[in-house]
Amino acid sequence: MDDKGCECKQRFADPDNQEPLLGILERYAGEKGALIPLLQDTQEAYGYLDEKIMRALAKGAGYQLSQVYGVATFYTQFRLEPIGEHLIRVCHGTACHVAGAELISEEISNFLGVKDGQTTPDMKFTLESVMCVGACSLSPIMIVDEDTHGKLKPANVRKVLKKYRGGNGEKEE
Amino acid sequence: MSTGGKNKLVLGYGTCGIAAGATAVKDALENELATGKYDAYLDIAGCMGFCFREPIVEVTDPDGRSVIYGDLSPKRVSRLLEAVAGGEVIEDWVVRRSDEPGAGEGDFLANQHRIVLRNCGNINPESIEEYISTGGYEAARKALTSMTPEELIDEVGKSGIRGRGGAGFPTGTKWGFARKAKGEQKYLVCNADEGDPGAFMDRSVLEGDPHAVIEGMIVAGYAIGATQAYIYCRAEYPLALKRLDIAIAACHEWGYLGQGIFGTDWDFDIKIKKGAGAFVCGEETALIASIEGKRGMPRPRPPFPANEGLWGKPTNINNVETLAAIPWIIANGGDRYASVGTEKSKGTKVFCLAGKVRRSGLAEVPMGYTLRQVIFDVGGGVREGKEFKAVQMGGPSGGCLPASLLDTLVDYDAITATGAIMGSGGMIVADSSTCMVDLARYFLSFTQEESCGKCVPCRIGTKRMLEILARICSGEGEPEDLERLDILAGDIKAGSLCALGGTAPNPVLTTLKYFRNEYEDHILRKKCTAGVCPALITLHIQEDICTGCGACAKICPVEAISGEKKEPHAIDADTCIRCKLCLSRCPEEAIYAE
Ligand SMILES: Cc1cc2nc3c(=O)[nH]c(=O)nc-3n(C[C@H](O)[C@H](O)[C@H](O)COP(=O)(O)O)c2cc1C
Ligand code: SF4
Ligand code: SF4
Ligand code: FES
Ligand code: FES
């Protein structure tokens, strides 16, 4: 979180590359009930939970695939599809709802042509909603990657997103 | 506090401050201070609670006088430092002055009583030394070196503190159960899942004063006989997680965690478990399942966690705020804590003021205050001088209270009697632009989404309620729907295993009780007077205000707006899909919904 200045692109490992997974499995080897942290670290490494990876994880850590899949689908944090280069999370907690979060999401959907939970075909943006990030006084809030944009108005959404369009923060136009 | 003969600047550096731009202010301050031109130094702190004026800097001069400034930006930094150097006060930016308590927003703090938030905003949460300098870890030392577990439990019992996680169970009694439970290995869990969407008390405490929570856990662990503890913290709080990591590492260095802590033969350690996004995991048995790596689904109680909890062992679960109050109680005595509050609700409660309240932020008040005192004296009333309509307390499990109940006391029983609950401390203030039917629909869509699916009334009942509410909001409600909602609410309450289902109907029941007229407006008159529900509103442009800039016409996705350049525009009601995008686009605020 403090590495905001870091310009390196956050690249995820390819699901065909099992090396990161092996490292993660080793980290939790022998630990009781570590399935959730295992999945969290795996998702951090790969960006999402690919079926191949879940199978390998189940085998490597000694779980039934159904157990792994059951946990991965129970918790909203886990994703079964790859995400785009930039992750947009719109807060839909109570304070943000009352402040018009639905209009923010709608404006983003109109602009990017994707719905909640979807990724743009060019893999630039994934749109998600979250339930309160704890900065309710600045509602409505949208978080792009690690940057929080508060007191948003639907009218400003495009301007903010355009900044991320060109990759590493470069402007597109 | 001594500043070492220099001017001390403290920047509010919690999630809320950072979201408001504190990092840029920090960089600018550091750059300016690095020039050596100023006799001042910079430190960070967690939330001071003045979220409505973030980013915030508190300036303390060598004589101990302090001024808090708000709304800072990198551009304002050099002006600030010059004023500090010249011993001048920039009146316009003042949030609070120690020498003039009435200045700025001084009454925001003056009307509070801070026990849990005693250090929040005052110390650097990443420095164990600063926590120790406020007397930190003396309570744990006292507990471990001079008190028996039974004496500790007595003291906490005497304080009268009740669990701040929502249910309000007396903490001393709960510790007593876990103490008496048989078992070699026992566990302590700190519940930092903070699932109420619109509340951030626990986050602020963890970010602003993580050591207070850890110290509370050390005391609790010793009292019940647990050597291993967990903090279950939601993943949406990265800064809280980071500061907990730093604090736990520091405790190991100082011998406050690990083996033989405080020079005794008592071992105690804490592990952090990161949540994965499921509201139901705040419920204690679901939380336990989640720590065990399973799907977080509640199970019937008894057996209670005190007897059969984590890995089947006796487990005590407490909320962040409960634990953060413990060191103060041990240091100052249970009687002193119990001297604050009402007969059955002792001590203080932290609330998060949000929504349409003027001073949205973090406030700790004594139990027994009225809601009016919290919202108006501390919170400064409703924004833009609008009229107060309702306060929502307790999030998805709570309810909406109208103006006529503003004199209700902050007291577990008094609030429960209204149909709302004390809850964990979220307070969302609504004005005339908030639709109560929409708010009820919002909460039901939340609980319906978050139901773990185990109980049919909860899983399907909330879905049916949501369908009815959605129907009402879209103008297709029937008069009989109100009774249907009532019946469903009763069934869900009666037939749900855990309190998620058991309390899910509360937002609907309280709005039906106190704002029935709004339901009737939606159903009978097909009107949403707050101008929220798209199907029941029409958008208009005020001719006398419109300058004809054309911005609205440009954004309208269905080309419903037309007009000549520099002439008043108009919206064609038949084409308009009521997306309201034009509303916020208009620079003149000429567009309104009705
Ligand atoms: C659906 C549901 C969600 C809950 N969420 C939380 C939560 O986020 N934080 C919390 O401390 N307690 C939460 N609770 C209450 C806990 O089950 C438990 O009562 C509490 O953590 C005990 O701590 P306390 O006695 O210190 O309040 C929740 C309960 C339910 C039924
Ligand atoms: S009441 Fe709802 S959330 Fe609770 S156990 Fe039953 S189905 Fe799950
Ligand atoms: S945006 Fe406002 S001022 Fe401009 S044309 Fe539309 S209504 Fe008129
Ligand atoms: S409701 Fe959006 S940050 Fe809390
Ligand atoms: S100042 Fe941190 S919660 Fe707002």
Side-chain angles (χ1 to χ4, degrees):
Chain A
M1 192 185 341
D2 266 343
D3 312 329
K4 247 187 211 150
C6 169
E7 285 295 313
C8 55
K9 254 196 210 169
Q10 210 192 331
R11 277 292 100 206
F12 297 121
D14 188 284
D16 284 323
N17 172 11
Q18 296 221 345
E19 220 166 283
L21 176 66
L22 295 178
I24 294 164
L25 284 170
E26 200 170 321
R27 196 177 311 155
Y28 293 101
E31 198 175 309
K32 231 181 352 178
L35 182 51
I36 293 170
L38 265 169
L39 287 170
Q40 284 171 329
D41 290 11
T42 305
Q43 176 159 297
E44 211 163 284
Y46 292 90
Y48 73 108
L49 299 172
D50 187 86
E51 189 190 319
K52 265 182 280 194
I53 290 297
M54 275 198 281
R55 283 183 189 280
L57 187 149
K59 210 165 158 200
Y63 291 102
Q64 299 291 332
L65 181 60
S66 61
Q67 257 175 306
V68 174
Y69 186 77
V71 167
T73 50
F74 183 83
Y75 295 97
T76 51
Q77 188 190 15
F78 299 119
R79 272 183 227 108
L80 305 184
E81 302 282 333
I83 54 164
E85 197 176 313
H86 299 290
L87 178 63
I88 306 169
R89 288 175 297 164
V90 181
C91 178
H92 284 270
T94 318
C96 291
H97 175 79
V98 171
E102 262 168 54
L103 296 177
I104 303 287
S105 286
E106 216 163 290
E107 172 75 347
I108 300 175
S109 289
N110 277 336
F111 182 50
L112 298 178
V114 291
K115 291 207 183 72
D116 188 21
Q118 296 179 334
T119 300
T120 54
D122 63 0
M123 296 301 287
K124 276 269 179 214
F125 293 104
T126 299
L127 178 60
E128 280 184 359
S129 52
V130 286
M131 282 299 168
C132 192
V133 292
C136 316
S137 321
L138 296 164
S139 57
I141 283 189
M142 149 175 105
I143 301 180
V144 186
D145 302 331
E146 311 273 282
D147 308 332
T148 307
H149 303 273
K151 297 194 178 161
L152 265 184
K153 289 197 171 148
N156 303 338
V157 162
R158 290 173 190 239
K159 210 169 89 197
V160 174
L161 291 183
K162 274 183 187 160
K163 282 200 223 149
Y164 295 88
R165 261 257 164 101
N168 283 331
E170 310 137 29
K171 290 240 169 73
E172 197 192 31
E173 300 107 304
Chain B
M1 196 183 290
S2 157
T3 65
K6 287 184 165 195
N7 288 299
K8 179 178 179 181
L9 305 179
V10 177
L11 175 70
Y13 209 56
T15 290
C16 178
I18 294 172
T23 305
V25 172
K26 183 165 174 259
D27 293 345
L29 277 168
E30 280 168 355
N31 284 339
E32 285 287 321
L33 290 172
T35 61
K37 277 196 297 196
Y38 306 99
D39 207 17
Y41 66 99
L42 178 66
D43 202 355
I44 58 159
C47 300
M48 300 184 196
F50 293 100
C51 314
F52 59 108
R53 295 290 295 274
E54 291 280 340
I56 274 186
V57 169
E58 175 166 19
V59 180
T60 310
D61 69 15
D63 299 327
R65 261 192 313 257
S66 103
V67 183
I68 300 180
Y69 292 111
D71 305 315
L72 285 163
S73 63
K75 274 194 205 129
R76 290 183 158 186
V77 157
S78 51
R79 168 90 178 86
L80 172 73
L81 288 172
E82 271 155 33
V84 170
E88 179 204 342
V89 172
I90 311 171
E91 299 287 350
D92 286 352
W93 302 356
V94 168
V95 177
R96 178 182 180 265
R97 298 176 61 148
S98 65
D99 56 353
E100 232 181 87
E105 313 276 1
D107 47 342
F108 179 73
L109 272 190
N111 284 314
Q112 297 189 37
H113 186 119
R114 293 194 159 197
I115 291 178
V116 169
L117 301 178
R118 59 197 178 276
N119 295 320
C120 279
N122 295 329
I123 61 168
N124 182 339
E126 298 183 9
S127 158
I128 191 172
E129 288 87 353
E130 286 200 22
Y131 181 69
I132 291 170
S133 76
T134 67
Y137 289 110
E138 282 313 308
R141 186 185 309 279
K142 174 175 157 190
L144 266 69
T145 56
S146 69
M147 291 173 83
T148 65
E150 285 73 20
E151 283 169 344
L152 278 174
I153 292 172
D154 268 357
E155 202 60 45
V156 171
K158 243 195 271 168
S159 78
I161 187 171
R162 296 166 65 170
R164 298 296 189 239
F169 194 81
T171 305
T173 312
K174 196 166 176 177
W175 287 13
F177 291 151
R179 172 87 214 157
K180 285 191 203 90
K182 291 204 174 59
E184 279 290 297
Q185 176 72 60
K186 294 180 187 177
Y187 294 105
L188 173 74
V189 177
C190 167
N191 190 344
D193 198 38
E194 193 149 65
D196 174 359
F200 50 90
M201 307 71 51
D202 295 350
R203 170 186 70 62
S204 303
V205 172
L206 293 169
E207 284 177 8
D209 198 12
H211 285 289
V213 180
I214 293 173
E215 186 173 5
M217 291 179 74
I218 294 172
V219 174
Y222 176 68
I224 64 165
T227 51
Q228 180 64 50
Y230 293 87
I231 299 177
Y232 188 89
C233 181
R234 70 201 303 247
E236 288 86 344
Y237 290 171
L239 188 60
L241 284 160
K242 176 186 147 190
R243 292 201 172 139
L244 279 172
D245 269 335
I246 295 174
I248 289 174
C251 284
H252 278 117
E253 270 171 40
W254 282 69
Y256 298 164
L257 286 178
Q259 290 183 337
I261 60 175
F262 294 95
T264 67
D265 58 4
W266 182 248
D267 303 340
F268 186 70
D269 214 340
I270 301 177
K271 266 201 196 118
I272 295 178
K273 284 277 179 179
K274 216 160 64 166
F279 173 63
V280 72
C281 287
E283 194 279 336
E284 51 188 23
T285 59
L287 187 150
I288 288 170
S290 183
I291 295 181
E292 290 172 349
K294 302 182 196 142
R295 291 162 72 100
M297 289 164 108
R299 63 155 175 81
R301 297 171 300 182
F304 285 92
N307 296 310
E308 253 176 68
L310 189 58
W311 319 115
K313 306 278 191 267
T315 302
N316 182 75
I317 299 173
N318 277 127
N319 166 263
V320 169
E321 192 183 326
T322 315
L323 289 164
I326 296 297
W328 192 97
I329 291 171
I330 300 304
N332 297 279
D335 287 335
R336 186 142 164 235
Y337 189 84
S339 72
V340 180
T342 62
E343 197 196 330
K344 285 192 182 154
S345 301
K346 300 295 187 195
T348 59
K349 178 77 197 92
V350 182
F351 288 104
C352 287
L353 292 165
K356 304 296 165 82
V357 64
R358 195 169 70 73
R359 296 174 183 146
S360 70
L362 199 60
E364 182 172 357
V365 299
M367 297 279 188
Y369 255 35
T370 62
L371 296 179
R372 188 188 305 281
Q373 281 174 297
V374 180
I375 295 163
F376 287 84
D377 298 352
V378 179
V382 181
R383 235 182 260 170
E384 294 162 16
K386 284 201 186 151
E387 203 179 323
F388 171 91
K389 178 153 137 187
V391 57
Q392 206 287 338
M393 293 184 70
S397 313
C400 292
L401 303 182
S404 59
L405 290 177
L406 275 172
D407 291 315
T408 306
L409 301 186
V410 175
D411 169 286
Y412 284 96
D413 306 299
I415 294 177
T416 306
T418 65
I421 58 164
M422 174 85 79
S424 57
M427 261 197 196
I428 309 268
V429 174
D431 66 10
S432 58
S433 67
T434 312
C435 168
M436 304 315 283
V437 185
D438 172 73
L439 197 57
R441 182 195 59 86
Y442 164 79
F443 281 117
L444 258 289
S445 75
F446 179 85
T447 34
Q448 190 267 323
E449 179 83 15
E450 296 294 336
S451 164
C452 81
K454 193 169 187 162
C455 317
V456 176
C458 173
R459 182 179 74 229
I460 300 176
T462 54
K463 181 131 190 138
R464 291 291 98 86
M465 278 185 102
L466 176 61
E467 282 165 2
I468 295 175
L469 290 163
R471 182 157 85 208
I472 297 175
C473 288
S474 64
E476 282 152 27
E478 302 162 3
E480 298 76 29
D481 280 345
L482 299 187
E483 202 192 325
R484 292 188 187 117
L485 284 173
D486 234 11
I487 295 171
L488 275 167
D491 290 350
I492 296 172
K493 273 181 174 261
S496 295
L497 173 60
C498 85
L500 188 151
T503 58
N506 287 351
V508 180
L509 289 174
T510 49
T511 46
L512 271 175
K513 184 163 168 194
Y514 300 119
F515 300 94
R516 203 174 189 87
N517 58 325
E518 290 198 29
Y519 283 88
E520 289 166 355
D521 282 344
H522 283 68
I523 296 172
L524 304 175
R525 285 173 279 285
K526 307 291 174 203
K527 277 253 169 250
C528 173
T529 43
V532 172
C533 297
L536 301 177
I537 55 170
T538 35
L539 283 121
H540 304 278
I541 295 178
Q542 269 174 285
E543 275 187 30
D544 50 332
I545 304 182
C546 173
T547 59
C549 71
C552 56
K554 227 163 111 191
I555 185 100
C556 178
V558 292
E559 296 181 9
I561 308 179
S562 58
E564 295 297 320
K565 234 185 169 157
K566 299 206 177 151
E567 294 292 328
H569 281 45
I571 301 176
D572 177 33
D574 291 335
T575 320
C576 172
I577 53 166
R578 303 172 192 100
C579 67
K580 293 206 244 176
L581 285 176
C582 56
L583 207 88
S584 76
R585 184 56 58 98
C586 175
E588 309 296 330
E589 299 187 6
I591 310 179
Y592 65 97
E594 115 187 314

